[in-house]
Every structure is written in structure tokens, then in C-alpha cells.
Amino acid sequence: MGRFDGRESPISVRYEPASVKDLLVEMKDTAELLIDLSYSAVLHGSPTIAHEVVELEHRMDVLQMRARMSLMLAARSPDEAETLAPVLGVVGAADKISDAAGDIAKIVIEEIGLPDAMRGALTEGVETLVRGTVAGDSPYAGRTLKEVDLESETGVRVIAIRREDDWILNPGPTTRLDSGDVTLLRGPETGIAEAYPELASEPFEPDEPVEPAIDDLERAVDSIVLMKNLSELAVDLAYGSVLFNNEALAEEVHNLEIEVDALQSRFEAWTLRAAREADDPVSLRGLIHLGVATEEISDAALEITEGVVRDLGVHPVVEMAVQESDEIITRTVVQAGSDLDGTRIEAGIPATDISTSVIALRRPDEGWLIGHDIDTTLRAGDAIISKGTRTSAEEFEALAA
């Protein structure tokens, strides 16, 4: 395998004995981080974050090739080939998500650019994401995330760490920050302004705010934001459907993909209308680039679910990956007269004694509500996508019945 993407030489990959389960989990985590970083790079016009997307994309290339090698060696009979085929689909789809994220990052790297008005509308209400290198004299160097306690003090989370060529994709309380670590920080701008100078020993310089100016452009921006949110949710649900062999989640991925396709058509129409009013229509090229890549992510999510939809079963390697995780994603429909009918949700947390969080909700007459800040009252017919433990999922389902 060889890809250049700005590198002087192609990446060389040799077979190494590796757990397919571990490779799948790492590919899932990498794909989700790639989506997050690529949009952040564009929204903040950040070449440094775009550079991290390219580095992660190279890492995904290696992961998917190693996974393919391991899966080819694992298929020893027609029956095994049948159950491994969907796993190959998962591997291929994760690579497509990686490529789409790389295309989004190229908007910044190749200076395709986006209209300033669009960036102003997109960043409204979005948490800040910055890349910072741990300085040698930082008070955080040599301490664990629990000792630093950034999230409690500032609301800032360390979502990933790059240590030379290695990535720590899900840093936890015991993860230690070392001098020279490249960290990705997410949180409110006020928290970033407090934490970043302590970590990097240099001042934090926020983006200058910009006001959207063209009505049709605002409509296009609204569409792309919704497309982004729906595509991210589709990826989450697609992996959930495979890991838990859940046809209901796979069906929601199909619904999401249809909606993203419809949004893509409206988005293109509004972008073309906005071009009539723009001083420089070529400046909208990046916006079109972003729309195409976003739609490709939702298509890849649908591809992940193919094995579940075709009832090919779940390979044991996937079951092993599931057994290590106590947190699952479930789809629950609120029945009329149930305990959940009329229950209030605030900031994504339902007013119940069950420890679960709502990450999305589809209402028959209103469409999707997405995000951890959902505030609404549940009613009959609502389809809830929630995340929690296996025990809490069973209890939540009982309340909805």
C-alpha cells in the first residue's frame, strides 16, 4: 500500500500478528476522532489541526491494511468467510470515513477556503478545539489527567494525545501528560483561554468573530451543520448496530442517510443561489467540497450496517470487542401511557433514576433533535437514541413500554 498525501515517501506496511478486535476498536475510535478534528480544522481555519487529520488519516490507512491482512488469514472455510465479509465492510467504511475527513481538512491545507460569513455562522455555539504541545516548564508535565483535573477546573477535556508517532485516542484519568505531547483540547473558549497558556506556555489567541451576511448562504450553512450532525450520529449508530447486532439501530442509519441525501440537494441549491450575491463566487468552492465529503460520511455509515441488514450474523471477533464494553447505544420508542410519556429531558438527561443519556431523538412530526443539550418533554412515538450501561438500557426500555 502506498499513499503520498504530502509525504515524501509512501507508507510501507508489513503483516504483523495483531488482534482484529483491537484493530476494529482502534479504527472506530480513529474514525470518530477524524470527523471531529476535520470539521474543527475547517471551522477554526486551523492548519495545525488539519495537519493532525492528515497524520491520523495515514494511521487509518495502516490500520485498515493490517485488519484486512488479519481477516484474510482468519477465513478458513465458507462459513467463516460469510461471517467475516461484514467485518471487511466495516473496515472499508472506516477507511472511507477517513478519506472524507482528509478531504475536509484539505479545505484548509490547500487553502480552498470558506466564506468568512459561513465560518462565523458555523462556529456559533460550537465548543473550541485547539492543538497544544505540552511545554517543558508546564505545571501539567509529568502529571496525570486526574491530578491536573482540567475538566473540573476549566470545563476543558483532553480528547486525544499524540506522542511522537503514537496516539492515545481515549485518554483517561491515569493518562500522564509528558513534555512534548501534542494534545487536542476541547471546551468553552473561556476555559481554553485559561488552560492553554498553562499547558503550552504561550498565550491563547481566539478567532475573530464574523457575522454571516447572505440569506441563502445562511440557509446553506444551516443545512451543512445539520448534515454534519446527522452524519456523525449515523456513524455512531452504525457501529452500535454492528457491535450489538441491532437491526433497529441499522434502520435508523438508513433513515439518517436518506435525510442527509435530501439535505445535500437543498444545500446545493442554496449554495448556487448564494453564488449570485457573493462578491467572489469561487470562494464558495470550499462549501461545496464540505457538502460532498459530509454526504460521503453518511454513505460510509450505511455501508457499516450491511451485515446487520442482510442478517449475516456477528463474527465472534466482534462479540469479543462488545464484551469489553459495558456502555451501549440503544434505540427506544416511547409508548403511549408509559412511564416515559411526559418525562422531561434536560441537557440530554431524562428525569428518571436511570443513569443513561439521550444523544438523539427522532420525533415523527418534527424530525431529529441531536446533541447532549436536548431539552424537551418526551411523548408517545418519540424514538430515543440513548447511551448507558446494559442494565440501565434494560430499565429504560421497561419505562418506555
Side-chain angles (χ1 to χ4, degrees), residues 217-230 263-264 266-268 270 294:
L217 184 56
E218 287 189 63
R219 295 188 188 100
V221 168
D222 288 343
S223 294
I224 199 70
V225 169
L226 186 53
M227 284 171 65
K228 168 189 176 293
N229 291 339
L230 292 177
L263 281 166
Q264 167 79 354
R266 293 202 292 272
F267 160 76
E268 289 174 349
W270 282 321
T294 302

Side-chain angles (χ1 to χ4, degrees), residues 260-283:
V260 170
D261 282 350
L263 281 166
Q264 167 79 354
S265 297
R266 293 202 292 272
F267 160 76
E268 289 174 349
W270 282 321
T271 302
L272 291 171
R273 286 175 187 162
R276 292 181 307 185
E277 302 177 49
D279 295 333
D280 179 16
V282 176
S283 67

